[in-house]
Structures are given as structure tokens and as C-alpha cells.
Amino acid sequence: MPAEHLALGRQGEDEAVKLLSSLGYTILARNHRCRLGEVDIVCRHEGVIVFVEVKTRAQDSLGSGAEAVDRRKRSRIVKACADYLSANGLWDKPCRFDVVSVVRQGERLLAEHYPDGFQVEFEAGKGAKGWQPW
């Protein structure tokens, strides 16, 4: 039997899939892993490849799930996304990063979708900051 927090995380991802599907997103993959990171959900919406990070919290947790996607976590997500794009020949497609925050309230899970939940900055050379390369 998995640890309680792992089971809650899996339930949160299931709830996020339901929400995204109801909004017209096509789920392409779940839990895409590579040696440098993982992305929870990969989907397509209106021609855009959407990488979704799901953060699930118990009702009494401090801070929202969306706030937990810090710089270090974003870096690991981006590496997994790059791996997915390469493996599937999708570098020519527009992409974005969404976050779904799921909170357990009693027996219910409430999911909230944050389209374009974060942007990716990268070093553009000579100390300049860039933005998502796609």
C-alpha cells in the first residue's frame, strides 16, 4: 500500500486529468520521466502542447499548491519537457506550462487550473536573460 501522501498525489493527478479533459484538453501522457526530471501531465489544447504540474495539498496545508512550484522544481519540469519534445519530434509546436492546484476538503478534491502558470527564463548569453525558446 503506497504512503498516504503518494496516494493523495495520485488522486490529485486523476482529478486534474478530469478537470483538463472537461475543459477540452487532450491528454497525451502522464508522468513523463527522464533522468533529469518529470512532468505530471502532457496535453494538447487548441494546437498548443501544455505541460502541467499538479500540486495536491491537504486542506490544512500552508500555501497553495501553485506556490510550491519553485525555481528548482521548474528547472526539473523543463528538463523533462525538453526530453518529451525531443522524443516526440515536437520542438516546432508552441508550448506552455500550466499548474493545477488540488486541495482535499473532507472527502472531496477541488482542482483549480492556472493556465500559463509559470514562464521559463534561461541565460541568453553574455548575462542576458531570455524567455521560453518556443
Side-chain angles (χ1 to χ4, degrees), residues 24-28 42-50:
Y25 289 66
T26 301
I27 307 303
L28 302 175
V42 182
C43 45
R44 184 176 43 247
H45 186 250
E46 298 178 352
V48 176
I49 303 298
V50 182

Side-chain angles (χ1 to χ4, degrees), residues 9-99:
R10 181 65 180 186
Q11 291 169 353
E13 287 180 11
D14 291 344
E15 195 65 29
V17 165
K18 285 186 217 173
L19 173 63
L20 293 166
S21 295
S22 76
L23 295 172
Y25 289 66
T26 301
I27 307 303
L28 302 175
R30 289 183 67 172
N31 304 111
H32 176 78
R33 291 179 176 91
C34 68
R35 66 181 181 85
L36 299 173
E38 176 187 2
V39 61
D40 294 327
I41 301 170
V42 182
C43 45
R44 184 176 43 247
H45 186 250
E46 298 178 352
V48 176
I49 303 298
V50 182
F51 297 102
V52 183
E53 175 65 10
V54 180
K55 286 300 189 183
T56 306
R57 297 284 186 252
Q59 185 173 2
D60 57 352
S61 293
L62 297 176
S64 74
E67 294 170 339
V69 186
D70 59 16
R71 182 181 189 150
R72 182 171 176 244
K73 181 68 175 173
R74 287 190 306 265
S75 174
R76 294 182 62 77
I77 293 167
V78 168
K79 290 172 184 168
C81 295
D83 180 77
Y84 183 87
L85 292 170
S86 293
N88 292 282
L90 296 172
W91 277 104
D92 61 334
K93 303 293 183 201
C95 302
R96 74 168 195 253
F97 300 94
D98 289 7
V99 176

